[in-house]
Amino acid sequence: MLVRALKFCKAFDNLHLYDGNYKCLPSEEEWNRGEKIRDFLKPFSTITTYFSGVNFLTASVYFMLVWKIELLLRRYARCKDNEIRLMAVDMQSKFAKYWDEYSLILAMAAVLDPRIKLQMLKEAYHKLDPRISEKKVEVVTKSLELLYKEYSSKSSESSSRFPRKTPHELLTESPLDDDFDDDLLELERYIQFGSNNERKNLDMYLADTKVDISAFSDMEVLDYWKDKQHRYGDLALLARDILSIPITTVASESAFSVRGRVLSPFRNRLLPKTVQALICTRNWLAVLLSLRETLRSTLIMMMRMLIKEQVAQEMKIQTCGNFSAFSSLCNL
């Protein structure tokens, strides 16, 4: 509402000429304060939309959004406008506990984003407080190392068990091949235990070059770790589990809301499989409708381009014809 009112501020200046009951015209100072409040609250509106979305972003994105909130609050806490400064200070006192308690977990997820890693994380902390940025990054690194050590131990325990074979493999296997494969697996386990593999994959990932965020702004981070699983091993499992953590409860609340519409008082004896089929069908239809709208807009755009090209070509032919006729007249 404030954004729209500011857009038509000139119209409000002349509204008293058409409406005699209008006597609440804001002053120039109030319009300026409204613009400052708009600039102050607009980023919060955008970030809140991200947080309440049902199409999930990975957990790494949330750190940068929460960091941006902290940065904005600190910036506006030094604002010259007294009203906005008091508003920012009040919001900052309420937001401080969330930043102190959850920044570590979100920062660990940010490190596992190849576009952020420790380099951008360090710069983010440095921008907030240069005095403690090194300490913050050190705490995040040690916490990530401890968590990865736990994952490595579980991964080594699971890899020590031989995989189960399918009936077809049991029928077609050769005893000699089986002994040969077992010996190779045993040698590989000895190599892994002897090379201190607890930090090898993590150090390799942190040492690799950071992905350019401007060139890969729409990167699917989970797909990245899926493709790099052969390189980073059990670190990819850790990244998958951390990055897939839902930050908000919007999706679960939305699911319960849908459940209330599917299981009504007049239809409360449905089997769980039937309810699941109905909800899945509803989601699929929603996706199909969105795809249809996208396809429709694409076709319209292509038709407009074809029409423009055809008109341009006809005008070119007509111009060439007129020029030929003019040249013939000149020759006469």
Side-chain angles (χ1 to χ4, degrees):
M1 182 184 296
L2 180 60
V3 175
R4 294 181 179 179
L6 290 171
K7 185 178 180 181
F8 297 102
C9 63
K10 298 298 182 181
F12 282 101
D13 292 340
N14 299 321
L15 185 59
H16 67 280
L17 300 176
Y18 302 92
D19 188 356
N21 296 322
Y22 179 70
K23 301 178 181 179
C24 301
L25 177 65
S27 62
E28 188 68 23
E29 181 182 357
E30 291 173 334
W31 282 119
N32 293 333
R33 178 170 294 173
E35 291 179 354
K36 294 178 181 178
I37 294 175
R38 177 201 60 191
D39 296 338
F40 175 50
L41 296 180
K42 187 176 180 180
F44 294 94
S45 175
T46 304
I47 295 172
T48 303
T49 303
Y50 275 116
F51 280 178
S52 60
V54 294
N55 294 325
F56 282 123
L57 300 170
T58 51
S60 60
V61 180
Y62 287 93
F63 172 81
M64 301 308 298
L65 295 178
V66 174
W67 168 80
K68 188 172 183 180
I69 291 177
E70 178 69 12
L71 185 66
L72 286 171
L73 290 176
R74 293 193 180 194
R75 183 182 301 166
Y76 280 97
R78 301 187 297 269
C79 180
K80 295 181 180 179
D81 192 302
N82 187 49
E83 295 293 333
I84 296 179
R85 184 175 65 253
L86 293 177
M87 186 190 307
V89 170
D90 186 35
M91 294 173 65
Q92 192 176 20
S93 62
K94 296 178 181 178
F95 184 75
K97 67 173 185 177
Y98 295 101
W99 173 253
D100 295 336
E101 292 178 6
Y102 298 114
S103 62
L104 176 61
I105 302 173
L106 297 176
M108 291 172 62
V111 173
L112 294 173
D113 190 327
R115 301 165 299 178
I116 300 176
K117 286 194 171 184
L118 287 175
Q119 295 94 320
M120 190 172 291
L121 190 72
K122 183 178 179 180
E123 291 298 325
Y125 280 130
H126 187 270
K127 198 165 185 178
L128 290 177
D129 193 345
R131 298 169 298 175
I132 61 173
S133 60
E134 295 285 348
K135 184 178 179 181
K136 287 275 190 181
V137 173
E138 185 179 355
V139 170
V140 173
T141 306
K142 288 184 178 180
S143 301
L144 187 59
E145 289 175 354
L146 291 174
L147 185 58
Y148 177 62
K149 182 178 180 180
E150 183 71 19
Y151 264 74
S152 297
S153 61
K154 291 183 179 180
S155 177
S156 60
E157 291 175 3
S158 61
S159 63
S160 62
R161 306 187 186 95
F162 295 107
R164 296 182 61 182
K165 297 183 178 180
T166 63
H168 177 72
E169 292 173 340
L170 291 173
L171 290 174
T172 58
E173 69 177 351
S174 171
L176 295 177
D177 293 340
D178 186 56
D179 295 338
F180 182 72
D181 293 339
D182 293 346
D183 292 338
L184 289 179
L185 290 173
E186 191 69 24
L187 288 174
E188 185 179 6
R189 282 196 295 273
Y190 281 130
I191 293 174
Q192 289 178 352
F193 295 148
S195 61
N196 190 19
N197 194 42
E198 290 180 355
R199 293 187 54 189
K200 183 179 69 173
N201 291 328
L202 180 60
D203 291 341
M204 186 190 307
Y205 167 72
L206 295 177
D208 287 345
T209 306
K210 186 181 75 68
V211 176
D212 187 3
I213 193 171
S214 60
F216 297 92
S217 58
D218 56 348
M219 171 189 284
E220 294 290 344
V221 185
L222 291 176
D223 289 341
Y224 169 87
W225 281 105
K226 183 180 179 181
D227 296 336
K228 297 293 184 179
Q229 186 172 1
H230 66 282
R231 175 174 174 81
Y232 299 123
D234 44 9
L235 181 63
L237 302 178
L238 171 63
R240 178 198 62 187
D241 291 343
I242 291 182
L243 294 172
S244 59
I245 296 174
I247 304 299
T248 64
T249 60
V250 173
S252 58
E253 293 173 358
S254 176
F256 282 112
S257 177
V258 172
R259 177 259 179 197
R261 293 193 293 271
V262 173
L263 291 176
S264 63
F266 304 99
R267 192 171 60 176
N268 56 7
R269 299 292 297 274
L270 296 177
L271 295 176
K273 290 185 177 180
T274 307
V275 175
Q276 184 178 7
L278 289 172
I279 294 177
C280 287
T281 305
R282 175 182 175 274
N283 293 336
W284 293 340
L285 290 174
V287 173
L288 288 174
L289 289 175
S290 63
L291 289 175
R292 181 187 297 176
E293 290 297 324
T294 304
L295 180 61
R296 180 174 174 274
S297 60
T298 305
L299 289 174
I300 291 174
M301 183 176 64
M302 291 177 63
M303 289 178 63
R304 288 177 178 174
M305 292 176 62
L306 289 173
I307 291 173
K308 287 182 179 180
E309 291 180 359
Q310 186 176 1
V311 170
Q313 188 174 4
E314 290 179 355
M315 291 180 64
K316 184 177 180 181
I317 294 173
Q318 185 177 2
T319 303
C320 292
N322 293 336
F323 181 76
S324 301
F326 179 74
S327 299
S328 300
L329 291 175
C330 290
N331 293 330
L332 293 175

